[in-house]
Coordinates of all heavy atoms in Angstrom, one line a residue:
L39 N 6.1 7.2 10.0 CA 6.7 8.1 11.0 C 8.0 7.6 11.5 O 9.0 8.4 11.7 CB 5.7 8.2 12.2 CG 4.5 9.1 12.1 CD1 3.9 9.2 13.5 CD2 4.9 10.5 11.7
K40 N 8.1 6.3 11.8 CA 9.4 5.7 12.3 C 10.5 5.9 11.3 O 11.6 6.4 11.6 CB 9.2 4.2 12.6 CG 8.4 3.9 13.8 CD 8.4 2.4 14.1 CE 7.5 2.2 15.3 NZ 7.4 0.7 15.6
N41 N 10.2 5.7 10.0 CA 11.2 5.9 8.9 C 11.6 7.3 8.8 O 12.7 7.7 8.6 CB 10.6 5.4 7.6 CG 10.6 3.9 7.4 OD1 11.4 3.2 8.1 ND2 9.7 3.4 6.6
S42 N 10.6 8.2 9.0 CA 10.8 9.7 8.9 C 11.8 10.2 9.9 O 12.5 11.2 9.7 CB 9.6 10.5 8.9 OG 9.2 10.8 10.3
Q43 N 12.0 9.4 11.0 CA 12.9 9.9 12.1 C 14.3 9.2 11.9 O 15.2 9.4 12.7 CB 12.3 9.5 13.4 CG 11.1 10.4 13.7 CD 10.3 9.9 15.0 OE1 11.0 9.4 15.9 NE2 9.0 10.1 15.0
N44 N 14.4 8.5 10.8 CA 15.7 7.8 10.6 C 16.5 8.6 9.5 O 16.1 8.7 8.3 CB 15.4 6.4 10.0 CG 16.7 5.6 9.7 OD1 17.8 6.2 9.6 ND2 16.5 4.3 9.4
P45 N 17.6 9.2 9.9 CA 18.4 10.1 9.0 C 18.8 9.4 7.7 O 18.7 10.0 6.6 CB 19.6 10.5 9.8 CG 19.2 10.3 11.2 CD 18.2 9.2 11.2
A46 N 19.1 8.1 7.8 CA 19.5 7.4 6.6 C 18.4 7.2 5.6 O 18.5 7.3 4.4 CB 20.0 6.0 7.0
F47 N 17.2 7.1 6.2 CA 16.0 6.9 5.3 C 15.7 8.3 4.6 O 15.4 8.3 3.4 CB 14.7 6.5 6.1 CG 13.5 6.2 5.3 CD1 13.2 5.0 4.8 CD2 12.6 7.3 5.1 CE1 12.1 4.7 4.1 CE2 11.5 7.0 4.3 CZ 11.2 5.8 3.8
R48 N 15.8 9.4 5.4 CA 15.5 10.7 4.8 C 16.6 11.1 3.7 O 16.3 11.7 2.8 CB 15.5 11.8 5.9 CG 14.3 11.7 6.8 CD 14.1 13.1 7.5 NE 15.2 13.6 8.2 CZ 15.6 13.2 9.4 NH1 14.9 12.3 10.1 NH2 16.7 13.7 9.9
E49 N 17.8 10.6 3.9 CA 18.9 10.8 3.0 C 18.5 10.2 1.6 O 18.7 10.8 0.5 CB 20.2 10.2 3.5 CG 21.4 10.5 2.7 CD 21.7 12.0 2.5 OE1 21.5 12.8 3.4 OE2 22.1 12.4 1.3
K50 N 17.9 9.0 1.7 CA 17.5 8.2 0.5 C 16.2 8.8 -0.1 O 16.1 8.8 -1.3 CB 17.3 6.8 0.9 CG 18.4 5.8 0.4 CD 17.8 4.5 0.2 CE 18.6 3.4 1.0 NZ 17.8 2.3 1.4
E56 N 10.8 14.9 8.6 CA 10.7 14.2 10.0 C 9.4 14.6 10.6 O 9.0 15.8 10.7 CB 11.9 14.6 10.8 CG 12.0 13.8 12.0 CD 13.3 14.1 12.8 OE1 14.1 14.9 12.3 OE2 13.5 13.5 13.8

Side-chain angles (χ1 to χ4, degrees):
L39 277 189
K40 287 184 184 177
N41 284 335
S42 84
Q43 291 174 31
N44 177 351
F47 185 89
R48 287 202 308 276
E49 187 57 40
K50 255 209 234 146
E56 191 170 359

